[in-house]
């Protein structure tokens, strides 16, 4: 009891296979602590060996001095070495049963001097691995159990009240040391959990950003390519139809000039599709803070050219614009252009030869812009056969919603109508 000593080190107690491999398993919250056998690392084995060597060395040293304690009863001297040896051997289970070892230390600390080296490790281990609500009562039990020995033998025979203060410090200092280590480990655990949570949140935000980017790319590419490719299909289909008629003898043979003109139209539309695709990818890849100038984006003034292209491809289009001034928002103009483009493309694909009506008008007093594209449905075509569940209208719906507007489409009395209402000014928060 008069020579408590000092441990050589403390471990970091890791458990392989647990999701908290890098943190002390015995201080994990709730049922995660002490679940199954703890597999020691090389560092754990080293610390365990040093702690055991320390306890055995103190045990051997104090055992040689038992004969000098002639003031102790014989039964205490007889129990001292065996109880001290039990305390040393119990250190093997200190990781899995820290509270049990603390309870074992109550009688051992009250009756032995040889167990003081193992007691250092047990007290520190108790405070390290057991919450203070349970470890503090055990510490109080240790102090209460050793008090009769101190008052009866230590104070009269082993240095007076200084010996009593030393014994009290023996328990409190190492308990405080273990509590400090526990607080540090819990702090490290919390910091690691916060870091893991932040990494998970960052990965989620990154995945959402990539998903939004892929959606934007798909939407832009569909808007550009669907329109141009449908024009190519119309021209190529007309050329193939007239060629078959001529070969069958039921039509006029195409002249070289007509073939060259059709090929030129197809070539021009293909080049235009590539140019527009390049512009789209440039806009999506350009850093807005880099100072680079992006290619000009479609505006409402370009709607007339879009309608002229459709007419050149053979569509019958009635176009009317009732907007007295150009809307101030480039995004609004670009969205309006895409709505008309999608409407013409769908009419060309699903209602070939039908009369298409395009109307663009502004609300009063300049609260919104409405874009409508309508065409009669071919005879025998039901609502389920017209566009409405395809990627084009889905992407267009997302585009309009991102711009703060609403998109409606459907058939009424045999006429399919695509209508978008877009706010004149930027919506709040955008």
């Amino acid at each position: 009891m008069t020579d408590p000593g000092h441990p050589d080190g403390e471990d970091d107690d890791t458990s392989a296979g647990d999701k908290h491999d890098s943190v002390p398993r015995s201080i994990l919250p709730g049922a995660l602590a002490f679940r199954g056998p703890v597999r020691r690392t090389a560092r754990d084995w080293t610390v365990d060996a040093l702690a055991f060597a320390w306890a055995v060395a103190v045990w051997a040293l104090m055992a040689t001095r038992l004969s000098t304690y002639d003031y102790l009863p014989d039964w205490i001297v007889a129990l001292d070495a065996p109880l001290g040896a039990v305390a040393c051997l119990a250190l093997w289970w200190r990781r899995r049963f820290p509270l049990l070892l603390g309870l074992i230390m109550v009688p051992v600390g009250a009756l032995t001097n040889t167990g003081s080296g193992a007691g250092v490790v047990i007290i520190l281990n108790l405070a390290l691995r057991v919450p203070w609500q349970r470890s503090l009562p055990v510490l109080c039990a240790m102090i209460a159990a050793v008090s009769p020995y101190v008052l009866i033998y230590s104070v009269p025979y082993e240095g007076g009240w200084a010996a009593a203060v030393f014994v009290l410090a023996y328990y409190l200092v190492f308990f405080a040391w273990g509590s400090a280590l526990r607080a540090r480990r819990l702090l490290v655990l919390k910091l690691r959990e916060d870091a893991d949570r932040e990494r998970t949140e960052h990965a989620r935000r990154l995945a959402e950003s990539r998903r939004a980017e892929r959606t934007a790319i798909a939407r832009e590419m569909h808007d550009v390519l669907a329109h141009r490719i449908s024009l190519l299909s119309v021209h190529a289909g007309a050329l193939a139809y007239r060629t078959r008629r001529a070969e069958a003898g039921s039509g006029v043979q195409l002249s070289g000039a007509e073939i060259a003109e059709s090929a030129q139209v197809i070539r021009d539309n293909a080049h235009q599709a590539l140019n527009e695709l390049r512009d789209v990818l440039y806009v999506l890849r350009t850093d807005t803070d880099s100072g680079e100038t992006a290619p000009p984006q479609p505006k409402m003034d370009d709607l007339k050219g879009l309608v002229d292209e459709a007419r050149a491809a053979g569509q019958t289009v009635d176009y009317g614009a009732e907007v007295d001034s150009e809307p101030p928002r480039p995004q609004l103009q670009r969205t309006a252009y895409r709505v008309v483009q999608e409407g013409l493309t769908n009419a060309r694909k699903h209602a070939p030869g039908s009369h298409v009506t395009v109307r663009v008008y502004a609300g009063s007093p300049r609260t919104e812009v409405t874009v409508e594209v309508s065409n009669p449905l071919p005879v025998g075509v039901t609502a389920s056969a017209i566009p409405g569940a395809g990627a084009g209208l889905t992407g267009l719906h997302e585009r309009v919603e991102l711009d703060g507007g609403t998109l409606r489409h459907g058939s009424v009395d045999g006429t399919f109508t695509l209508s978008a209402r877009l706010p004149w000014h930027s919506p709040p928060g955008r």
Side-chain angles (χ1 to χ4, degrees), residues 56 85 95 117 137-138 141 151 153 175 191 195 203 261 270 290 293 309 313 354 375 413 422:
V56 170
R95 299 174 187 275
V138 177
L151 295 176
Y153 302 109
F175 186 84
L191 293 176
E261 181 182 358
S290 65
T293 302
E309 287 182 352
S354 63
N375 60 271
D413 297 331
L422 305 169

Side-chain angles (χ1 to χ4, degrees), residues 230-274:
S230 65
L231 290 177
L232 287 172
S233 177
V234 169
H235 286 292
L239 182 60
Y241 175 75
R242 292 191 59 186
T243 301
R244 287 196 300 269
R245 291 282 304 267
E247 290 179 350
S250 57
V252 180
Q253 184 73 31
L254 289 174
S255 65
E258 289 177 320
I259 294 176
E261 181 182 358
S262 297
Q264 184 64 36
V265 170
I266 294 174
R267 180 177 180 274
D268 291 344
N269 275 280
H271 285 183
Q272 185 67 20
L274 292 175

Side-chain angles (χ1 to χ4, degrees), residues 62-106:
M62 300 304 295
T64 60
R65 298 174 58 184
L66 288 177
S67 59
T68 63
Y69 299 145
D70 52 2
Y71 51 84
L72 294 176
D74 293 339
W75 66 273
I76 291 181
V77 175
L79 288 176
D80 197 319
L83 288 178
V86 170
C88 293
L89 293 175
L91 293 181
W92 175 259
W93 294 278
R94 68 186 180 90
R95 299 174 187 275
R96 296 192 61 188
F97 307 107
L99 185 60
L100 178 60
L101 263 66
L103 294 174
I104 291 175
M105 188 60 193
V106 173

Side-chain angles (χ1 to χ4, degrees), residues 31-66:
L32 288 178
F34 311 114
R35 180 181 294 175
V38 179
R39 288 179 287 179
R40 291 173 169 82
T41 64
R43 184 174 183 271
D44 295 337
W45 280 104
T46 302
V47 173
D48 287 349
L50 291 175
F52 183 74
W54 163 260
V56 170
V58 173
W59 177 86
L61 176 64
M62 300 304 295
T64 60
R65 298 174 58 184
L66 288 177

Side-chain angles (χ1 to χ4, degrees), residues 282-313:
Y282 184 89
V283 170
L284 293 172
R285 293 172 178 171
T286 299
D287 184 358
T288 56
D289 298 328
S290 65
E292 299 182 41
T293 302
Q297 296 302 299
K299 300 190 299 183
M300 291 181 63
D301 289 343
D302 299 324
L303 288 176
K304 184 67 168 58
L306 182 65
V307 170
D308 290 340
E309 287 182 352
R311 289 169 176 166

Side-chain angles (χ1 to χ4, degrees), residues 15 205 256:
S15 171
R205 291 195 300 266

